[in-house]
Amino acid sequence: MRASLIQIAVDEGESVAERRQRVAALVREQAGSDLVVLPELWTTGAFAYEEFGPEAEPLEGPTYEVMAKAASDAGVWLHAGSIPERDPDGPLYNTSLIFSPSGELAAAYRKIHRFGFDKGEAVLMGAGRDLVTVPLPGTTLGVATCYDLRFPELFRSLVDAGAETLVIPAGWPERRRAHWTLLAQARAVENQAFVLACGTAGTHAGVPQAGHSIVVDPWGEVLAEAGAGEEVLTVDFDPAKVAATREQFPALKDRMLGLEPPRR
C-alpha cells in the first residue's frame, strides 16, 4: 500500500477558500497513492481558536464538497483531516472526514479528547463519543486526532474493533515535538499496528507547528519522517506485516486488564 501524508502549511495570509483549492490540487497530484492523509483543522489552523466559529461549516459543507471531488479525481482513499463542524442541533465539533476513491463519505469522526484544558478547543467544541474504523482493501483504519494520541486506551479500543493502521491527523506544536515522535512510536509498538501521523507546518495564531509527519511500523521502526516545512511524505508499506508481527510476537494475547470486569 502507498500512503501520502500532506503536511500542509497554514498561512494566515491565505483565505480558507484559497487553501481548500490549493490542498485539493495537492490531493489530485497523489493519484498513484492508495491513501492520502491531511492534517487536523488545516482550514483554520489548530490554534486559531477565534476562527473556529466563523469558519465552522456543516458536515456536508464546502470542505466536504471540495475534498470529495479531489478524492474521486485522484481515485484515492482520502482522510481529509478535520474541520470545525457546526452541528445544527448542537455545538461545534472537531470532525474528520474520510472519503472513498469514488468520492463518497466512508466515515466521519468527532474528536473525543479536546485539547486546551480550560480554554480553546476544550471549551469551544463538543466531545465526540464514537470509535471509528474504516475497512480498506488490505487493512482497517483506526481513526484518532491529535490530542487523542496521549490516551492509549482509545487505541486499544480501536485495535479491539479491528484496526491495523492507525491514522492520526494533528496540529501539534513544535515545543512538544519530542512527545509527538515518542507517542507515535509507542502507539505503534503497544498495538502492533502501523501509525500514520500527519501534522501541520507553519505557525497557527502565533504557535509554531511541529511538522515532522511520521510513519511507523508495528515494531516501532520509523519508515519515513517529514521535516518542518510543507511537504508530501510518501511511503510504501505492507499491511500484512501487522498480522505477521502479532503472530510472531503475540503480546496482545497476553492482555490481562480491560478485557473483562475485575474480580471483587
Side-chain angles (χ1 to χ4, degrees):
M1 176 174 285
R2 173 166 291 181
S4 291
L5 283 58
I6 305 180
Q7 184 169 283
I8 298 164
V10 178
D11 181 350
E12 294 176 356
E14 180 182 45
S15 72
V16 172
E18 290 171 332
R19 191 173 304 118
R20 284 193 194 100
Q21 295 303 322
R22 181 171 68 82
V23 172
L26 288 170
V27 171
R28 292 186 180 96
E29 290 175 5
Q30 314 313 313
S33 294
D34 302 293
L35 171 65
V36 176
V37 183
L38 304 181
E40 176 190 31
L41 294 173
W42 56 269
T43 56
T44 60
F47 286 85
Y49 303 140
E50 71 283 355
E51 299 297 324
F52 291 173
E55 294 294 347
E57 52 188 291
L59 186 71
E60 298 187 13
T63 300
Y64 176 107
E65 294 175 359
V66 171
M67 292 297 111
K69 181 68 163 53
S72 177
D73 289 346
V76 297
W77 286 91
L78 173 63
H79 187 313
S82 70
I83 60 169
E85 178 205 355
R86 185 177 297 281
D87 187 325
D89 300 318
L92 304 182
Y93 291 96
N94 186 342
T95 303
S96 292
L97 306 173
I98 298 94
F99 296 96
S100 74
S102 63
E104 296 184 1
L105 185 68
Y109 167 67
R110 287 173 168 172
K111 185 178 179 182
I112 291 174
H113 301 96
R114 298 160 298 162
F115 179 70
F117 308 109
D118 59 352
K119 61 183 179 181
E121 181 187 26
V123 297
L124 295 173
M125 292 182 166
R129 296 181 177 271
D130 299 324
L131 295 175
V132 172
T133 59
V134 186
L136 269 61
T139 192
T140 296
L141 304 184
V143 182
T145 305
C146 199
Y147 190 45
D148 283 335
L149 188 61
R150 293 185 178 274
F151 298 88
E153 62 274 16
L154 170 61
F155 294 88
R156 275 288 196 251
S157 297
L158 288 170
V159 167
D160 288 343
E164 298 168 316
T165 300
L166 304 169
V167 182
I168 307 151
W172 202 277
E174 165 59 29
R175 63 180 173 267
R176 291 187 289 275
R177 180 163 69 87
H179 293 185
W180 166 251
T181 304
L182 174 67
L183 292 169
Q185 290 182 271
R187 298 296 87 87
V189 171
E190 70 194 7
N191 295 295
Q192 299 183 307
F194 283 98
V195 165
L196 280 58
C198 182
T200 46
T203 298
H204 302 179
V207 180
Q209 297 297 287
H212 288 268
S213 299
I214 191 168
V215 177
V216 188
D217 80 358
W219 285 101
E221 179 182 351
V222 176
L223 301 183
E225 183 175 358
E230 179 167 300
E231 67 176 281
V232 179
L233 183 70
T234 297
V235 62
D236 294 316
F237 67 99
D238 183 2
K241 190 172 184 178
V242 173
T245 301
R246 292 175 180 177
E247 181 178 356
Q248 180 182 357
F249 193 83
L252 291 173
K253 294 181 180 179
D254 285 337
R255 292 168 60 192
M256 298 295 291
L257 303 177
L259 299 178
E260 59 184 28
R263 294 181 181 178
R264 295 183 181 274

